[in-house]
Structures are given as structure tokens and as C-alpha cells.
Amino acid sequence: MNATELSRRLGQQAEAVCRRYLSNGCREGRYWLVGNVDNAPGRSLYVRLVDGEKGPAGKWTDAATGDHGDLLDIIGHSVRAAGMREALSEARRFLSLPEAPAPAPRSRPLGLSCISSGQRDAALRLWSGSHPTAVTLAQAYLQSRGLEAGADLTALRFHPGCHYRPSRDDPSDTPTRWPALIAAVTDNAGAITGVHRTWLDPSGKDKAPVAHPRKTMGAILGHAVRFGVPTDRMIIGEGIETMLSLRACLPAMPLAACTSSAHLAAFLFPAGVNRLYVARDRDKAGEAAFAAIAERCATPGIEVMPLMPILGDFNDDLRQCSREAMAANLARQLGNGDEALLSKA
């Protein structure tokens, strides 16, 4: 039985699969709602439980990240499968089917970002149509968050009228065009694979008043919004604002924003990195992401060290604590020699 048939059978038992692998969610009508693929509480990710005009049972979408797939992807991620063979084996165990000696290859690789080339092209067009952040609402927004928005932040741009597709959580009269901060998501070779969009309020002082003001587009899994060139050490974390906050204290340290806890756990480490700092938020999703990264780094021999904020996240620290207090907190957590990288300003 190949992957396509296994996926179809999983769809026939979609609610049972969700109760097993997305147990922190709940059924609401024709959908199973949960926070994300890491089984966090919430309502961002929704799994279709019955066949319908919009697609078969078992298909899912994460409204916050744009990721989508089927239940075989969910199972593979849940058991941290190293490849399709392990995911297929776990699916057969769930369905009480005999193990196959040599499963047929799937038409696409295992992963959470089932993104067509058309979506990648759309991401590149959006990036090409955006402008430097200087003297824009994007710069004003970053400054309102206590962040510097200099010309050296080449991974960030501004779009004055980025399309927003209202969700079922938005009012019916929600505008479909908003100014937006656009961030380039790149692979380890520096190629743009997607973009991250933060829609902004026209005042420039906050995010746009929409249900989902942050979304990604393109191939995101394993990649990141990068600030600086990786050396033998770097810091990775979830959000752009978190990483830019750390940049205020560690301007010479290479940084990578993976855009979500699920993508943080799946980040593809650049060659040559032997000390990896993980900037954690103080929540269960951050804890789970760090545990997944630490497990993955055990084999390649990369030293993994967590960085914990004083408050909820590092942007909270930057805005609500003094920079001196933030630097002192980081100094206690950095490895030997790295405290010298802390800014004296």
C-alpha cells in the first residue's frame, strides 16, 4: 500500500488521528482545531474531518503560517520521523496494517511546507515589488517596538499595499490591502525561498487590526529570515522582533528568525556551526522547540544552549527592562568567550 492510499485511509479516520496526534485540540463542526503541528493549544491549525467541496478529509492548514498538508505529514512530524519510511511505518501501526518491506516513494518529500512553485514565484514577486524600509511605516513600526531599522537590515522591506486575504475570524468588511513589513526567508545558500508578512496599521504604531497580522508565503520549512552571516556560532529563534531585540545587545552575532515554533524546531543548520544558541520564549511551544533542536544536534555534535528572556520574550525585555539588565541576563547564559560580543553601548 503506497503513501497515497495510506493518506486516504487516514482521512477516513481523521478525527481518530487528530485525537491521537493533536490531542490538545478539539472538534468544531467539520474541523479539528489546534494551535499548530506541535500540538499546542489554540485554533490556528484546522484539519478537515469530512470530505467536502474544498477537499478531502484529512487535509489541514495553519492559518498563522500558511503551512498545509495531510495527516501523513502530521504523523511524521509528531513522531519526529527522519524520513518518509518512518512516517509510513507509524501510519501503518496506527491503522493496524502490516509493515511493508519497501514502501513506494511519495510524489513529494515529507514536510510541512507543501508549497507549489507558483507560491514561491508569488513570494519573489512580492519581494521584488517592495522597497527599503527607510522613512516608511515599516521603519516607524520597528521603532515603536524599540528596534533600530537601519539600511544594513537588507532582509527587511516595505510594501505600501500588500494583499491580505480575510479569514473566517475577520469581520466581513475587513480591507484586503494593508501596508506591510516584508521579510525575506532564505536558505543556507542565501537564495530567497519565501517571505514573511507583517501587516501594519496605517499609523505605523502597531500591527494591522486583522485576525492574522503575520503570515508566511513560499517554502519556509528549514529556512529563516537572516541577519548576519553564520560563522561557527549563531542564534536562532522564532520571531523577527525577538531576533532584532537580541541584535541590540549582540550586534556582531549572526541571527536567524524561523518565524514560528514549528519552523524553529525544523531549522536546517548551516555547515560549520558548532555552537547554536536558541532564543526561547517563555511558553510550552518554545520549550518543545528547544527540546527538538537539542535532540537533532546530539548526533552532529553541535553544542546547543538556550537563551531565556527575563520576561515573556526578548522584545518585552528590550522595551520594559533596561538594556543593561538585558545584557546582564544574556551574559549569564552565553558560552565561554561569547560574553565579549555583548555591546557596551
Side-chain angles (χ1 to χ4, degrees):
M1 182 182 298
N2 62 22
T4 300
E5 178 61 19
L6 275 176
S7 182
R8 188 186 68 81
R9 290 205 180 191
L10 290 169
Q12 292 174 342
Q13 301 186 41
E15 184 170 351
V17 175
C18 290
R19 290 189 181 279
R20 170 76 172 274
Y21 298 100
L22 298 173
S23 57
N24 286 325
C26 63
R27 177 164 187 161
E28 185 173 304
R30 294 170 173 260
Y31 294 91
W32 186 269
L33 305 181
V34 70
N36 55 35
V37 291
D38 288 311
N39 196 26
R43 297 168 60 85
S44 176
L45 187 148
Y46 51 96
V47 183
R48 190 176 292 111
L49 298 180
V50 296
D51 294 338
E53 293 181 359
K54 295 184 178 180
K59 295 295 184 180
W60 58 269
T61 299
D62 189 328
T65 66
D67 291 332
H68 54 100
D70 60 22
L71 292 173
L72 197 52
D73 294 314
I74 293 290
I75 289 175
H77 183 76
S78 178
V79 300
R80 305 295 180 192
M84 179 56 68
R85 189 183 185 93
E86 292 183 16
L88 292 171
S89 294
E90 176 65 19
R92 287 190 179 91
R93 281 191 288 272
F94 176 84
L95 294 168
S96 300
L97 296 173
E99 185 63 44
R106 206 177 184 197
S107 59
R108 60 177 173 81
L110 176 69
L112 300 178
S113 291
C114 313
I115 306 298
S116 70
S117 60
Q119 288 175 298
R120 292 190 185 95
D121 291 344
L124 289 172
R125 286 196 300 272
L126 177 59
W127 178 253
S128 297
S130 300
H131 315 293
T133 58
V135 198
T136 67
L137 286 176
Q139 184 180 55
Y141 170 74
L142 291 172
Q143 290 173 342
S144 76
R145 306 292 294 177
L147 303 169
E148 296 181 3
D152 57 327
L153 295 181
T154 56
L156 302 181
R157 289 186 179 180
F158 172 71
H159 196 289
C162 182
H163 177 71
Y164 175 79
R165 179 180 295 175
S167 72
R168 57 185 176 180
D169 299 320
D170 285 296
S172 59
D173 60 348
T174 298
T176 59
R177 295 282 175 180
W178 296 87
L181 173 67
I182 310 297
V185 176
T186 58
D187 61 18
N188 285 324
I192 297 176
T193 64
V195 293
H196 180 279
R197 298 157 291 175
T198 302
W199 283 277
L200 306 175
D201 186 89
S203 70
K205 297 180 180 180
D206 205 348
K207 292 182 287 294
V210 295
H212 305 289
R214 293 190 178 105
K215 289 184 182 180
T216 56
M217 177 170 61
I220 309 300
L221 191 71
H223 311 311
V225 180
R226 301 166 196 264
F227 305 102
V229 179
T231 57
D232 60 341
R233 61 203 62 201
M234 67 181 302
I235 305 176
I236 64 174
E238 292 184 37
I240 294 169
E241 293 170 25
T242 289
M243 305 316 292
L244 290 179
S245 298
L246 284 167
R247 189 173 182 270
C249 289
L250 291 161
M253 182 71 81
L255 309 169
C258 302
T259 74
S260 74
S261 60
H263 291 130
L264 174 61
F267 180 68
L268 298 174
F269 318 123
V273 172
N274 55 44
R275 178 178 288 172
L276 185 71
Y277 292 102
V278 182
R280 278 193 47 192
D281 290 353
R282 286 189 177 273
D283 56 25
K284 290 184 177 180
E287 181 179 351
F290 177 77
I293 292 168
E295 182 178 355
R296 287 175 55 211
C297 288
T299 301
I302 300 174
E303 181 184 16
V304 183
M305 304 179 69
L307 293 179
M308 294 288 290
I310 301 168
L311 304 175
D313 61 45
F314 284 104
N315 191 244
D316 290 340
D317 288 3
L318 182 65
R319 291 183 296 118
Q320 300 180 41
C321 304
S322 67
R323 189 170 298 191
E324 291 75 15
M326 187 176 173
N329 176 55
L330 290 169
R332 291 190 288 269
Q333 302 178 70
L334 293 172
N336 290 338
D338 286 348
E339 64 275 5
L341 297 175
L342 285 165
S343 173
K344 306 300 181 182

